[in-house]
Amino acid sequence: MAVVVVTDSSASLPTELTDELAIAVVPLHVLVGDRTVREGIDPIDIDYAADSVTTSAASPGELREVYERALERSGGDGVVAVHISRQLSGTWEAGRQAVRDMDASDKVLLVDSLGAGLATGLPTLAAARRAHAGSVLDTVFEAAVAAATRARTFVLVNRTEQLRRGGRLSTAASFFGSELVTKPLLQIVEGRLELREKVRTRSKAYTRLVAAAVDAAGAEGAAVAVQHLGAPEAAETISGQLRDLSPGIGELIVAEFGPALAVHLGVGAIGVVVVPGGCA
């Protein structure tokens, strides 16, 4: 058989890729009033600015069920589970509890992606491609860890209030002052979302976002992902600029943020993930 790769729905991977590489996806939860909705499974109609909307991690029981099915499907070859940063969600910790409760825990290896969105998705792809090629469990695990370690993530949001309210942004960002006259450019550092810089206008913020991504990509080639929430034209423009300014990009994915991340980022958010060296 072959090693099976698992991730969670925050990874935002296009369905065609998860289907092609047989990646198992565990849904995170969006809490809308008194309803709990499974991302990617249940229909979701959300006012992303509402205080009553929040998110929660997958439970140990849900994760264990998926891990056990994946292990059975692998024929005993093993499972690599790549999850959203433990600094941003309780999913990785729930996964660790699920593994502890399993009889074959040595066959299920967890990876903290140190990121979110396609910063989780690209390391998942790196692992799944190794698994698809027939690599052994340790090699698949190491591919995910290496891609997660190399990844650089930059996020532009209109306001940081939703991130601060949900506890996803370092309190160091409180020195922003009025966000009505600035556009916060954030980055993920060691799994934490932190301020990179503040920019006066949206157009200048896009320029700084692209410059940061090009610098991270370097000259040796990279895999790149652009994500957005309700800003497809901006995402396409940024993708084109990245192609022009960094011709070594070997893979570029454009996708929308899923609801579990969108709740915290707000409409208009744009993110760029760069994995130098790619995810082959």
Side-chain angles (χ1 to χ4, degrees):
M1 301 296 284
V3 173
V4 174
V5 174
V6 175
T7 191
D8 56 71
S9 59
S10 77
S12 306
L13 285 169
T15 302
E16 57 267 25
L17 286 175
T18 58
D19 289 348
E20 175 190 346
L21 296 168
I23 298 168
V25 181
V26 183
L28 301 188
H29 302 154
V30 179
L31 311 181
V32 184
D34 59 357
R35 293 188 299 125
T36 299
V37 183
R38 297 168 298 172
E39 182 178 40
I41 296 178
D42 303 322
I44 302 177
D45 183 16
I46 297 176
D47 175 4
Y48 288 113
D51 291 345
S52 60
V53 180
T54 187
T55 59
S56 68
S59 71
E62 290 172 308
L63 289 160
R64 178 176 176 176
E65 182 179 349
V66 174
Y67 295 164
E68 287 178 337
R69 286 202 306 266
L71 185 58
E72 182 178 0
R73 182 154 59 91
S74 80
D77 285 350
V79 174
V80 172
V82 186
H83 290 302
I84 182 174
S85 167
R86 74 183 83 177
Q87 305 292 339
L88 300 174
S89 169
T91 300
W92 185 91
E93 187 59 44
R96 185 166 68 166
Q97 182 60 54
V99 172
R100 285 174 179 163
D101 294 341
M102 293 177 63
D103 293 334
S105 59
D106 60 323
K107 288 290 189 177
V108 182
L109 304 183
L110 294 187
V111 177
D112 180 346
S113 71
L114 303 174
L118 280 161
T120 300
L122 292 184
T124 300
L125 278 184
R129 285 167 176 163
R130 292 294 179 90
H132 193 67
S135 296
V136 298
L137 182 62
D138 286 347
T139 300
V140 174
F141 171 78
E142 289 162 6
V145 171
T149 302
R150 295 196 308 274
R152 299 292 178 267
T153 303
F154 311 98
V155 183
L156 176 64
V157 296
N158 285 325
R159 303 287 302 275
T160 61
E161 178 57 33
Q162 285 167 260
L163 287 166
R164 286 201 292 248
R165 188 172 63 215
R168 266 68 177 184
L169 184 62
S170 167
T171 54
S174 62
F175 77 88
F176 268 116
S178 173
E179 293 178 359
L180 296 177
V181 294
T182 62
K183 299 301 177 186
L185 181 57
L186 311 173
Q187 62 185 355
I188 294 182
V189 179
E190 296 181 350
R192 294 181 176 86
L193 191 60
E194 299 181 353
L195 171 69
R196 179 180 175 88
E197 60 182 298
K198 53 183 179 179
V199 188
R200 285 288 180 181
T201 67
R202 190 76 174 175
S203 61
K204 288 181 180 179
Y206 286 153
T207 299
R208 297 301 301 151
L209 176 65
V210 170
V214 169
D215 183 61
E220 301 302 318
V224 174
V226 178
Q227 285 188 267
H228 69 93
L229 180 60
E233 292 181 1
E236 289 297 337
T237 297
I238 288 170
S239 299
Q241 291 174 340
L242 290 172
R243 284 282 194 197
D244 292 341
L245 295 171
S246 189
I249 291 174
E251 178 175 24
L252 197 156
I253 298 172
V254 180
E256 194 159 16
F257 285 112
L261 294 181
V263 165
H264 301 288
L265 295 174
V267 175
I270 299 279
V272 179
V273 181
V274 178
V275 180
C279 297

